[in-house]
Amino acid sequence: MTTQSPEMSDRDLFARKSNSPRNIFNVGMTVLVSVFTVVMLLPLGAIIFDVARKGIQYVGIDSFTRLPPPPGLTEGGFGNAVVGTLIVLSIAAAISAPFGILAAVYLTEFGRGSRIAYWVKFAANVLSGVPAILCGLFAYAVVVLTTGGFSAFAGGVALAVLMLPIVLRTTEEGLLLVPREVRQAAIGLGATNFQTITRIVLPAALPAIATAVTLSLARAGGEAAPLLFTALNNNFWSTDPSQPIATLSVLIYFFAIIPYKAQQDLAWAAALVLLGIILLVSITSRLLTRRKVY
């Protein structure tokens, strides 16, 4: 009587598992997801390649140190728009980040399961789907009409409305990842709720909070419609938040429709710079998410 060797039985078992319906389904789904990922990356790669091909030759020192040229002239830059973009985004982050983080802390630490928490989440979900131009109209009605003029602060308010739901929901998810046992241990050692939140929970969720802010900045950085109703534009250097200010997105919009090649070339260069800023912010957020919250 012959017996099968253990090596042959292991080989047969491996072949049997490899040909099982579950393994075939897993391989098929992996291939399908890989194909869809490549399909999704193709438009992004095409956009980056096209913008880089048309704009890289016009990006230089003058682009960041000079003002936009008047129609008909060929020498100039968009340094004022770069500064204006950073100012408007800073104002938006200064408004949206505190409100979003505080709201997320309330939802996770104090109001979980309450009626107020339900309506706050519902409002955040609705606000995340509101078109950007409506946020600009809101800031126009609340800030521009009240103050009597366009300003960088009004633009920051419009972008803050766009950023707020992203900051709130992403921060909330990060806070929920901190185990409840950590809170209970801190309270058991005699810490108050305030100390537990400020010294234990928030530091543990800091990577998620930083990710929330950077993702919201990437979302708002490329918006032009809200800024047309609020910050408008400025062809000169300006750092006054109470005055109209130039931004890259608005400059790209105006220069793209001007029938002058010099302005159109600067629009491509500004688009490349703006794309680089957004990509840098996105990569930073991805690096932050590589660290576990707790």
Side-chain angles (χ1 to χ4, degrees):
M1 182 176 179
T2 61
T3 59
Q4 190 176 18
S5 64
E7 295 181 358
M8 290 296 295
S9 61
D10 293 341
R11 190 180 300 113
D12 293 340
L13 180 61
F14 177 77
R16 188 178 305 170
K17 289 183 178 180
S18 300
N19 295 327
S20 64
R22 178 180 296 180
N23 188 70
I24 295 175
F25 177 78
N26 290 338
V27 173
M29 293 304 298
T30 302
V31 173
L32 188 62
V33 170
S34 301
V35 172
F36 286 161
T37 302
V38 173
V39 172
M40 292 177 60
L41 290 177
L42 284 177
L44 176 62
I47 292 174
I48 295 175
F49 174 77
D50 195 42
V51 173
R53 179 176 60 87
K54 296 182 179 180
I56 189 64
Q57 55 185 325
Y58 304 107
V59 176
I61 300 299
D62 291 343
S63 301
F64 301 94
T65 58
R66 303 186 64 175
L67 294 173
L73 299 182
T74 58
E75 295 183 357
F78 43 82
N80 60 334
V82 174
V83 174
T85 299
L86 297 178
I87 291 175
V88 173
L89 289 178
S90 299
I91 295 174
I95 296 174
S96 62
F99 282 101
I101 294 172
L102 290 176
V105 170
Y106 171 78
L107 292 178
T108 57
E109 305 299 327
F110 302 103
R112 182 179 298 185
S114 64
R115 178 70 64 175
I116 297 178
Y118 169 79
W119 287 110
V120 170
K121 291 182 180 181
F122 177 78
N125 291 332
V126 173
L127 188 60
S128 62
V130 171
I133 192 171
L134 294 183
C135 297
L137 289 174
F138 168 79
Y140 176 83
V142 173
V143 182
V144 176
L145 294 182
T146 302
T147 59
F150 301 98
S151 63
F153 177 75
V157 171
L159 296 185
V161 176
L162 280 174
M163 296 167 59
L164 182 59
I166 301 176
V167 175
L168 193 156
R169 297 312 303 268
T170 308
T171 303
E172 180 190 5
E173 294 297 327
L175 293 174
L176 289 175
L177 291 177
V178 180
R180 299 293 298 180
E181 291 79 6
V182 175
R183 299 170 173 85
Q184 295 171 357
I187 294 175
L189 292 174
T192 63
N193 288 336
F194 180 79
Q195 292 173 333
T196 302
I197 294 172
T198 56
R199 299 185 181 183
I200 303 297
V201 178
L202 288 179
L206 187 59
I209 296 173
T211 300
V213 176
T214 53
L215 286 178
S216 62
L217 288 173
R219 166 71 173 83
E223 293 292 344
L227 299 178
L228 289 173
F229 291 94
T230 52
L232 196 59
N233 193 25
N234 194 336
N235 291 326
F236 304 97
W237 294 99
S238 176
T239 57
D240 188 354
S242 63
Q243 298 296 324
I245 200 168
T247 53
L248 286 172
S249 56
V250 174
L251 181 140
I252 294 169
Y253 171 77
F254 283 133
F255 278 13
I257 60 178
I258 292 180
Y260 295 100
K261 188 176 184 304
Q263 277 72 17
Q264 293 176 358
D265 294 339
L266 278 180
W268 283 109
L272 179 60
V273 172
L274 181 59
L275 183 61
I277 294 174
I278 295 175
L279 285 177
L280 180 62
V281 172
S282 300
I283 292 172
T284 303
S285 67
R286 295 301 302 172
L287 293 177
L288 291 174
T289 55
R290 293 177 60 185
R291 173 187 165 189
K292 293 184 178 181
V293 174
Y294 195 84

